[in-house]
Amino acid sequence: MRSGAGKPLTRIGVLALQGDFHEHIQVLESLEVATSEVRLPTHLEGLDGLIIPGGESTTIVKLGDLYGFREAIRAELDRGMALWGTCAGMIVIANELTDDRPTPFGYVDMKVSRNWFGRQVDSFEQDIAIDGIDGDPYHCVFIRAPAVARLGNSVEVLATVDGDTPIAVRSGKILATAFHPELTDDTRVHEMFVNLARNGN
Ligand code: GLN
């Protein structure tokens, strides 16, 4: 597939096992990318990027393991595919959790804490400046959101709340956000991920 400028069209898949994958697909369709629901490991073939959406991380890991996604996604990452986990997706791609369950897929050297904000309030919205996103602060929607409790050396913090709690991080071609950009009309985080998938930066 080719876009008007003659450049190959960027292909972004969304893991569609559980959660709000449909909302991501809708945002991606509004950008100049080819997008598809990923329901089987074979659907990963040829993707430039994959999004693991918000939802319930235990269910996503359970179904993912049933279909063999843990190894299949790792193989695509080795090939150079970009990856973005939002909310439950951030939990799924971490290599360690503060919680007993699930056993995350482990692609990013960080420890993530589920329901980090649960003790204060289950859901909230806040305007936050994000590194790599120009213009106004981004309106972040948090729904029983996780946060990063420990970061490996290879992981860069893009945004924090409460002064020092990381809620957006990047490690090479992998992005993780604790909030839900697919639930707002602001496409800037999706554009940042498309660029990462397209150009590697
Ligand atoms: N609290 C959920 C979990 O632990 C994530 C919530 C979300 O994705 N909005 O899986």
Side-chain angles (χ1 to χ4, degrees):
M1 253 182 296
R2 306 229 148 222
S3 64
K7 279 190 306 186
L9 197 58
T10 306
R11 297 186 55 195
I12 309 286
V14 185
L15 191 66
L17 299 175
Q18 190 268 339
D20 71 340
F21 52 87
H22 185 66
E23 285 77 359
H24 277 290
I25 296 268
Q26 280 181 320
V27 180
L28 292 167
E29 279 176 349
S30 77
L31 304 173
E32 200 187 303
V33 292
T35 180
S36 54
E37 292 182 2
V38 172
R39 295 178 182 279
L40 293 169
T42 51
H43 300 163
L44 294 168
E45 236 167 73
L47 291 183
D48 299 298
L50 175 73
I51 298 175
I52 303 184
E56 200 52 52
S57 54
T58 46
T59 308
I60 295 173
V61 166
K62 203 176 196 171
L63 292 173
D65 276 333
L66 199 66
Y67 291 109
F69 272 109
R70 185 183 292 263
E71 298 76 20
I73 293 172
R74 186 177 294 283
E76 294 301 320
L77 293 176
D78 291 345
R79 179 179 62 75
M81 184 184 73
L83 178 67
W84 176 19
T86 58
C87 201
M90 176 191 243
I91 298 165
V92 171
I93 68 178
N95 68 0
E96 199 184 354
L97 302 181
T98 55
D99 316 77
D100 295 340
R101 288 184 324 138
T103 302
F105 286 179
Y107 307 134
V108 185
D109 185 12
M110 62 177 175
K111 186 174 193 167
V112 168
S113 208
R114 297 177 66 190
N115 304 318
W116 173 277
F117 304 97
R119 288 169 297 268
Q120 304 167 37
V121 56
D122 279 345
S123 304
F124 64 100
E125 302 184 11
Q126 199 171 308
D127 292 338
I128 298 171
I130 301 174
D131 273 6
I133 298 214
D134 293 333
D136 292 338
Y138 194 87
H139 190 70
C140 299
V141 177
F142 296 87
I143 303 169
R144 296 198 305 115
V148 180
R150 179 193 59 77
L151 283 168
N153 291 334
S154 62
V155 186
E156 177 193 347
V157 176
L158 302 182
T160 58
V161 286
D162 303 334
D164 60 354
T165 301
I167 45 86
V169 299
R170 179 185 157 178
S171 173
K173 286 179 88 173
I174 307 183
L175 186 65
T177 57
F179 53 94
H180 288 267
E182 74 285 9
L183 298 183
T184 66
D185 292 333
D186 189 339
T187 58
R188 287 179 294 166
V189 185
H190 284 81
E191 286 167 38
M192 177 162 82
F193 181 64
V194 171
N195 281 331
L196 193 62
R198 183 181 287 151
N199 310 318
N201 57 37

